[in-house]
């Protein structure tokens, strides 16, 4: 449940919106959350002007007065959407808090605001430590589910800085916890050092043991279609 969250938005002479728009957002989130069994309590509200420094200072003042919230919702007007990158960096890296950016047009002008709100709720729930989905065992996959199984996927892609090695692997049987790894700068696919692959797989295995207090009985690794 969202018991302690705040919504930050701008008001004033340069703003086309008012407090009623924030109330409407809360109402839509509450209606959409019913399907997920998620509850939203009454939020805290942080109002600021339309300058990015005002957003930062008002958030700081609110935290100093009320303590750190569960998550901060940034409710943007169209011309404020450019603030998102810097505000996300500031909140997550400096304040060490999760945040969720929401465009007001997504809620106020969407043809299906409930659908948009549902996707937002899933994202917010994950950011505060919840689970978006889990795999339910079936008869078709009972062989793997009877064993402690690690599933991993490996990919190599080419970018401006060379080739990138990327990997993600599960840490539990319901696919709700994962280990991820990424390293870039390789000159070619063949240039990827064996020690990098070994370190990646070893760290994955160590994290699996920590999460399950036991080693795996079955390991399955998928990879993209490589030439070798």
């Amino acid at each position: 449940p969202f018991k302690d969250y705040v919504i930050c938005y701008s008001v004033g002479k340069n703003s086309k919106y008012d407090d009623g728009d924030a109330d409407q957002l809360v109402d839509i989130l509450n209606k959409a959350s019913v399907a997920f069994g998620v509850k939203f309590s009454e939020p805290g509200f942080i109002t600021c002007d339309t300058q990015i420094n005002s957003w930062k200072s008002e958030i700081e003042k609110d935290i100093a007065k009320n303590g750190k919230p569960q998550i901060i919702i940034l409710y943007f007007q169209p011309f404020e959407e450019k603030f998102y990158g810097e505000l996300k960096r500031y909140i997550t890296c400096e304040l060490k808090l999760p945040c969720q950016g929401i465009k007001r047009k997504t809620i106020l002008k969407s043809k299906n605001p409930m659908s948009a709100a549902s996707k937002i709720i899933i994202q917010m729930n994950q950011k505060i430590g919840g689970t978006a989905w889990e795999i339910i065992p079936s008869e078709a996959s009972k062989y793997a589910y009877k064993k402690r199984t690690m599933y991993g996927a490996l990919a190599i892609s080419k970018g401006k800085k060379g080739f990138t090695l990327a990997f993600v692997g599960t840490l539990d049987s319901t696919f709700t916890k994962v280990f991820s790894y990424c390293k870039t700068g390789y000159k070619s696919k063949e240039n990827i050092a064996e020690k990098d692959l070994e370190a990646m797989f070893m760290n994955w295995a160590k994290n699996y043991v920590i999460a399950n207090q036991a080693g795996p009985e079955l390991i399955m690794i998928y990879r993209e279609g490589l030439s070798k």
Side-chain angles (χ1 to χ4, degrees), residues 5-205:
Y5 67 105
V6 295
I7 300 175
C8 186
Y9 60 101
S10 64
V11 294
K13 63 180 181 180
N14 294 323
S15 175
K16 297 180 180 180
Y17 300 93
D18 55 31
D19 295 337
D21 298 304
D23 291 331
Q24 184 179 9
L25 171 63
V26 176
D27 183 57
I28 292 174
L29 289 175
N30 269 310
K31 289 179 180 178
S33 67
V34 174
F36 302 102
V38 177
K39 294 182 180 180
F40 283 83
S41 61
E42 186 65 22
F45 293 101
I46 302 175
T47 56
C48 54
D49 64 32
T50 55
Q51 301 299 313
I52 190 169
N53 287 335
S54 174
W55 288 68
K56 290 182 178 181
S57 63
E58 293 302 325
I59 289 172
E60 286 182 2
K61 290 177 185 178
D62 186 82
I63 291 175
K65 180 180 179 180
N66 302 308
K68 288 189 174 183
Q70 200 174 21
I71 189 171
I72 297 176
I73 296 175
L74 304 171
Y75 200 24
F76 295 119
Q77 298 182 65
F79 67 90
E80 295 168 332
E81 293 171 11
K82 60 187 177 183
F83 297 164
Y84 178 63
E86 171 57 20
L87 287 174
K88 181 178 181 180
R89 182 207 64 77
Y90 168 70
I91 293 170
T92 57
C93 297
E94 295 189 28
L95 300 182
K96 309 298 183 184
L97 287 169
C99 72
Q100 178 69 42
I102 301 177
K103 300 177 181 179
R104 294 199 190 187
K105 62 184 179 183
T106 300
I107 298 298
L108 300 181
K109 296 183 179 181
S110 173
K111 293 182 179 179
N112 192 346
M114 293 291 284
S115 176
S118 295
K119 296 176 182 177
I120 290 169
I121 290 169
I122 291 173
Q123 293 175 10
M124 290 175 60
N125 188 49
Q126 283 184 283
K127 289 177 180 179
I128 65 169
T131 300
W133 63 80
E134 67 178 28
I135 304 299
I136 300 175
S138 67
E139 286 298 313
S141 58
K142 63 181 180 180
Y143 171 75
Y145 277 103
K146 285 182 178 180
K147 298 178 179 292
R148 293 188 300 274
T149 305
M150 296 169 67
Y151 297 89
L154 177 72
I156 301 172
S157 61
K158 185 179 181 181
K160 294 181 180 180
K161 296 183 179 181
F163 285 84
T164 296
L165 168 66
F167 176 82
V168 63
T170 62
L171 296 177
D172 61 6
S173 61
T174 55
F175 293 69
T176 59
K177 298 178 182 178
V178 298
F179 165 83
S180 61
Y181 175 92
C182 180
K183 187 172 181 179
T184 191
Y186 297 105
K187 294 181 180 179
S188 68
K189 293 181 179 180
E190 292 73 23
N191 185 246
I192 296 175
E194 186 175 326
K195 64 179 182 179
D196 289 347
L197 292 169
E198 290 179 354
M200 177 183 71
F201 289 130
M202 285 298 295
N203 283 328
W204 176 32

